[in-house]
Amino acid sequence: MVTQVILPRILQIGEGASQQLPQVLASLGCSRPLIITDKMMVKLGYTQTIQDCLAASGLSADVFDDTVPEPTVSSIQAGVAKVRDGDYDSIIALGGGSPIDSAKAISILGKFGGVMRDYKFPRIVNELGLPIIAIPTTAGTGSEVTKVTIITDESNDEKMLCVGVGFMPLAALVDFNLTLSLPKRTTADTGIDALTHAMEAYVSQKASLYTDGQAIAAMRLIGPNLRRAFHDGTDKHARERVMLGSTLAGIAFSNASVALVHGMSRPIGAAFHVPHGLSNAMLLPAVTEFSIPAAAERYADCARAMGVASEQDSTDVANSKLMAELYALNDELEVPTPELFGIDRDEFFRLLPTMAEQALQSGSPGNNPRVPSADEIIELYKKLW
């Protein structure tokens, strides 16, 4: 089997990597960037820091800061208009997964027009929009190294999966210093998101030797360090390792695809506005338990990589320890149930058939070791209560 690997042309990782932005822009032949971010990045001063860094090299950048969590078709329209009306030669995507995903969509729509649904999977988007330099400020989504963006169509609450080399940033600057001020809730949600990426890439039916290496390395970094980063956000050792783990997990799932957790997570987020990482966390234990019989050895490898099982443990023992760890991790990181999050039970149960159908349509459940029916997906959703 031949594995196609798509990566950013430039990937710079480590403390202070974000400050090398001017040199990276110069190497790409870009000098008129637009910063796409959110208002929190502006409030925290991160956007000004980037502008100051550019100014020191004689560059300036306009800012579009109207991206929103879980970007929608309407939320990106002003950004698309700004790109169409401006004379920009590149985009700096600054923030978590939502600003970076927004920037990917704006890059394509701003250059080629149309509407987001035109670019929805199963179409593969190979057109190259404005070059994107991604600077992630969370350790979780891996969006800086993926050929994927997720945009919600609010007309039917569908999270549209859009895939192709056209969505891959040209450069990614991965600087863990930018995660030191993350609140505990964001640290938890994005960290479990990254762990889910690594696990799903490893058990995916599209996994390869290449993606296996990235996924295992990611789990080794995230497993022992996520709790530390959650309890002490200033722990640079833990922050650096979770950040690198997130990027490696992003590389793994971008090239091996995600599976059932993500397929079921997107409809919850679209219908009830649950942050993506949090809905993944809600689902990970139940979906893992459902899937283990079809890939017991692979899940046991996950347990060993995360440090919760030893090489001497049998497959069954390792998987028992894995399940205990996933439930314990959710407890310690204070992951709420749908009910505690505030979701109306009657509305949740009413939408189960629709959410199951949307999950299947995304294609992700088809990558799962155990491919579920719509009825099985509904039963898994019910287990969250």
Side-chain angles (χ1 to χ4, degrees):
M1 182 181 73
V2 175
T3 302
Q4 182 187 61
V5 178
I6 307 294
L7 294 168
R9 185 186 301 175
I10 297 171
L11 180 55
Q12 299 194 179
I13 299 171
E15 189 170 13
S18 59
Q19 293 300 299
Q20 297 180 8
L21 177 60
Q23 299 94 304
V24 170
L25 284 168
S27 73
L28 297 174
C30 299
S31 60
R32 300 183 308 280
L34 170 67
I35 298 173
I36 293 181
T37 187
D38 60 30
K39 295 194 185 303
M40 183 56 69
M41 292 296 101
V42 174
K43 181 179 179 181
L44 292 173
Y46 287 1
T47 305
Q48 188 62 54
T49 298
I50 293 297
Q51 288 180 301
D52 291 345
C53 176
L54 293 172
S57 296
L59 298 172
S60 63
D62 292 339
V63 175
F64 174 77
D65 64 3
D66 286 332
T67 66
V68 299
E70 314 296 320
T72 65
V73 168
S74 62
S75 76
I76 62 174
Q77 287 310 308
V80 172
K82 193 172 184 73
V83 165
R84 286 181 182 166
D85 295 340
D87 184 27
Y88 306 110
D89 62 7
S90 53
I91 290 173
I92 298 167
L94 174 68
S98 295
I100 296 176
D101 275 5
S102 297
K104 292 177 178 183
I106 290 168
S107 166
I108 292 292
L109 291 176
K111 184 171 180 179
F112 297 107
V115 296
M116 204 66 231
R117 185 163 289 279
D118 297 336
Y119 300 94
K120 175 189 166 186
F121 183 82
R123 177 177 175 179
I124 303 300
V125 180
N126 291 319
E127 301 94 324
L128 301 180
L130 278 185
I132 296 172
I133 299 90
I135 305 178
T137 61
T138 63
T141 70
S143 188
E144 72 275 7
V145 289
T146 73
K147 57 186 178 186
V148 175
T149 188
I150 308 289
I151 305 294
T152 300
D153 182 347
E154 54 274 74
S155 70
N156 63 354
D157 282 338
E158 177 188 1
K159 280 200 169 189
M160 295 183 293
L161 175 66
C162 305
V163 179
V165 68
F167 295 117
M168 176 64 72
L170 203 58
L173 311 182
V174 182
D175 184 348
F176 73 86
N177 272 348
L178 301 182
T179 70
L180 294 176
S181 62
L182 281 180
K184 293 178 73 172
R185 182 73 268 142
T186 306
T187 298
D189 297 347
T190 55
I192 297 179
D193 191 19
L195 180 63
T196 304
H197 291 154
M199 289 181 63
E200 292 211 298
Y202 190 71
V203 303
S204 168
Q205 294 193 35
K206 295 180 180 176
S208 67
L209 281 173
Y210 175 83
T211 58
D212 284 355
Q214 310 294 321
I216 289 290
M219 286 184 272
R220 284 177 176 154
L221 289 163
I222 297 166
N225 290 293
L226 179 53
R227 283 179 171 86
R228 286 177 57 176
F230 176 76
H231 290 299
D232 180 7
T234 65
D235 184 335
K236 284 192 169 187
H237 180 279
R239 287 290 197 189
E240 181 174 22
R241 280 152 181 77
V242 175
M243 186 73 161
L244 177 56
S246 168
T247 296
L248 294 177
I251 292 171
F253 91 78
S254 185
N255 293 284
S257 297
V258 286
L260 181 55
V261 173
H262 277 74
M264 292 179 62
S265 174
R266 296 186 198 105
I268 294 177
F272 300 104
H273 309 293
V274 180
H276 171 70
L278 184 54
S279 55
N280 277 349
M282 291 175 178
L283 286 158
L284 183 59
V287 171
T288 299
E289 195 165 31
F290 169 83
S291 305
I292 281 174
E297 290 289 346
R298 289 244 143 191
Y299 280 107
D301 289 343
C302 294
R304 296 182 184 108
M306 291 164 59
V308 299
S310 72
E311 295 298 328
Q312 287 71 43
D313 286 328
S314 68
T315 297
D316 287 347
V317 169
N319 283 325
S320 177
K321 289 181 176 180
L322 176 63
M323 289 308 309
E325 167 66 3
L326 294 181
Y327 283 112
L329 188 63
N330 275 7
D331 285 344
E332 189 165 340
L333 271 56
E334 301 168 10
V335 174
T337 62
E339 183 178 20
L340 288 175
F341 183 80
I343 293 174
D344 180 79
R345 187 181 189 279
D346 291 342
E347 183 68 2
F348 185 83
F349 276 72
R350 184 184 71 80
L351 286 177
L352 289 183
T354 300
M355 293 197 298
E357 185 58 33
Q358 288 180 347
L360 288 171
Q361 285 177 355
S362 75
S364 299
N367 302 322
N368 208 58
R370 181 180 175 188
V371 179
S373 66
D375 286 342
E376 286 173 322
I377 290 177
I378 288 172
E379 289 305 309
L380 284 169
Y381 276 134
K382 289 179 179 179
K383 284 189 173 183
L384 302 188
W385 286 86

